[in-house]
Amino acid sequence: ETGVTQSPTHLIKTRGQQVTLRCSSQSGHNTVSWYQQALGQGPQFIFQYYREEENGRGNFPPRFSGLQFPNYSSELNVNALELDDSALYLCASRIQGNYGYTFGSGTRLTVV
Amino acid sequence: DAKTTQPPSMDCAEGRAANLPCNHSTISGNEYVYWYRQIHSQGPQYIIHGLKNNETNEMASLIITEDRKSSTLILPHATLRDTAVYYCIVRASRGGAGGTSYGKLTFGQGTILTVHP
């Protein structure tokens, strides 16, 4: 039991479509980050939210966007899907401060 | 780019200690060393972190050199379930230009640890 739940676990989309991935964090975890992990690579930071505001972003285009809600849930939205967007998408959350992140098991997105 | 260097793979016998090295020669004074591991098809799992003192918890020990340019993660009695990719990460504490780097974990390729019977 990681305390961070992601849905769906697997998803297949067509190039050009839009997708929304969801994450439910532990109560009190007011910081959430999203990562993209391509096959055989380490996770790459997409962005981070703190108290519903984006406060950090990696090298990803604007078609990657997110939302964080007061109930400690969050979303990752990707528009105009490309084949290279196929990856494992990970959500991670923590309380503010120098603490370790708790990761979910991820959503495996396949773009065809 | 990751600020750490790790060996790509290591082996360890079950029941023995696994010592995983990490170089972070450009670490700054306000940066912590974090260790995570990822078992196949799961999300990364937090193991331990430290600033300059050695740390120990129920999972592992972290030894940081006095100059903070390298560290070693120690799994005292490795089991088959410890087979995973281990990531050493340097992360800034609060601060940085515009605060946008705060909290970001920069993963490298990690070390594939294989524990064998």
Side-chain angles (χ1 to χ4, degrees), chain A residues 35 37 40-45 48 55-57 88 90 94 96-101 103-105, chain B residues 32 34 36 38 41-44 46 49 87 91-94 99-100 102-105 107-109:
Chain A
Y35 289 79
Q37 186 174 24
Q41 303 295 317
Q44 300 296 307
F45 176 74
Q48 175 172 283
N55 73 341
R57 189 172 185 93
L88 180 69
L90 296 160
R94 64 181 174 91
Q96 185 70 341
N98 290 315
Y99 300 96
Y101 280 93
F103 280 80
S105 295
Chain B
Y32 285 72
Y34 279 75
Y36 284 78
Q38 188 172 24
S41 298
Q42 298 181 22
Y46 165 79
H49 76 282
Y87 295 101
R91 181 175 84 79
S93 60
R94 183 177 295 279
T100 57
Y102 176 53
K104 170 184 176 182
L105 297 176
F107 289 82
Q109 295 291 89

